[in-house]
């Protein structure tokens, strides 16, 4: 749907997306729109007014997840710096994974992170921009050395993949706190000992 939705329409759409997340958590996206409607407590016709197919639902679910994360991180660069900024960004990203990591992991693109970034993917470009600003802040404060930023951001995004979160949280059985600690400290270790030196251009 184009443009801003009416409040009641947006509530219904959010209800459908929330229901999709619950269904995907237990069975993947192997459900029909009529099944989604029953889960959300709305008519099948209502579900079809919002989504033509499950593929459209998946795209909207992923988009909404990133919008919520963007809203959560809004203003963070004015409020935090250095280690506090790094830890706050990592923590807020992982807080969102509690809700949408498993559904999102089922609708990931087969294309690489940098591949999609260079193609102008909006969600990836926003994510890259946030990580880049945090990395630049760490470099400016001397917390981590100057380095090939594209390689560093790729490694950061790789560690913070939703599937890595799920493996630590459920595959290893770590608590939420320990999962955050392991993932964040792993990224910081990589940033402190970069595998590639900074690129300098004329």
């Amino acid at each position: 749907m184009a443009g801003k939705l009416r409040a009641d329409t947006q509530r219904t759409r959010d209800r459908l997306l929330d229901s999709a997340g619950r269904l995907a958590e237990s069975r993947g996206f192997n459900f029909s729109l009529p099944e989604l409607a029953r889960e959300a407590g709305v008519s099948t016709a209502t579900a079809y007014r919002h989504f033509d197919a499950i593929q459209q639902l998946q795209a909207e679910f992923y988009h909404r997840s990133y919008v919520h994360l963007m809203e959560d991180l809004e203003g963070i660069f004015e409020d935090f710096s250095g280690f506090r900024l790094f830890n706050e960004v990592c923590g807020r990203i992982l807080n969102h994974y509690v809700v949408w990591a498993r559904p999102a992991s089922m609708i990931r693109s087969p294309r690489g992170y940098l591949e999609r970034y260079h193609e102008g993917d909006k969600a990836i470009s926003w994510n890259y921009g946030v990580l880049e600003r945090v990395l630049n802040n760490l470099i400016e404060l001397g917390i981590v050395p100057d380095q090939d930023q594209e390689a560093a951001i790729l490694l950061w995004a790789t560690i913070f993949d939703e599937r890595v979160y799920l493996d630590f949280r459920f595959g290893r059985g770590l608590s939420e706190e320990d999962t955050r600690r392991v993932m964040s400290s792993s990224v910081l270790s990589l940033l402190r000992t970069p595998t590639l030196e900074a690129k300098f251009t004329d």
Side-chain angles (χ1 to χ4, degrees):
M1 294 183 180
K4 185 175 178 61
L5 301 177
R6 284 175 24 185
D8 57 341
T9 304
Q10 186 63 59
R11 283 194 296 271
T12 300
R13 194 175 185 84
D14 286 337
R15 189 172 178 178
L16 287 162
L17 290 168
D18 291 341
S19 298
R22 290 194 299 273
L23 288 172
E25 182 77 25
S26 61
R27 55 193 282 196
F29 279 90
N30 300 312
F31 55 84
S32 65
L33 287 175
E35 289 174 310
L36 173 64
R38 285 196 295 274
E39 174 70 19
V42 301
S43 69
T44 299
T46 295
Y48 275 103
R49 276 199 297 273
H50 285 268
F51 306 107
D52 296 330
I54 293 297
Q55 290 74 18
Q56 183 189 9
L57 172 71
Q58 291 175 323
E60 181 63 21
F61 183 91
Y62 199 71
H63 171 74
R64 187 184 70 154
S65 299
Y66 261 98
V67 168
H68 285 175
L69 181 56
M70 284 189 283
E71 291 171 348
D72 192 19
L73 291 175
E74 186 175 350
I76 197 168
F77 292 95
E78 287 73 43
D79 298 331
F80 300 96
S81 182
F83 279 121
R84 291 189 65 194
L85 174 63
F86 172 79
N87 288 326
E88 194 71 21
V89 168
C90 288
R92 293 192 192 189
I93 291 173
L94 294 175
N95 280 342
H96 283 264
Y97 282 6
V98 173
V99 176
W100 61 271
R102 194 174 300 281
S105 71
M106 300 171 188
I107 50 180
R108 294 295 300 269
S109 168
R111 303 177 72 79
Y113 180 88
L114 290 181
E115 194 176 11
R116 286 177 289 155
Y117 169 67
H118 290 303
E119 290 170 352
D121 181 288
K122 289 184 178 180
I124 296 300
S125 295
W126 172 83
N127 178 268
Y128 187 101
V130 169
L131 302 187
E132 183 179 42
R133 289 183 68 183
V134 176
L135 177 58
N136 280 330
N137 183 253
L138 295 175
I139 292 171
E140 289 168 5
L141 294 175
I143 295 172
V144 303
D146 198 7
Q147 55 196 282
D148 183 325
Q149 294 193 16
E150 189 171 84
I153 292 168
L154 173 59
L155 291 171
W156 188 345
T158 300
I159 291 174
F160 267 59
D161 186 288
E162 295 96 337
R163 291 163 293 188
V164 174
Y165 165 83
L166 292 170
D167 265 334
F168 276 122
R169 182 69 181 90
F170 301 105
R172 292 295 306 276
L174 299 184
S175 66
E176 288 291 346
E177 181 179 351
D178 285 343
T179 299
R180 290 183 176 88
R181 178 181 54 79
V182 169
M183 293 178 70
S184 298
S185 62
S186 296
V187 171
L188 192 56
S189 295
L190 280 170
L191 297 180
R192 283 176 158 166
T193 56
T195 56
L196 295 175
E197 295 180 357
K199 288 182 178 178
F200 296 97
T201 57
D202 296 333

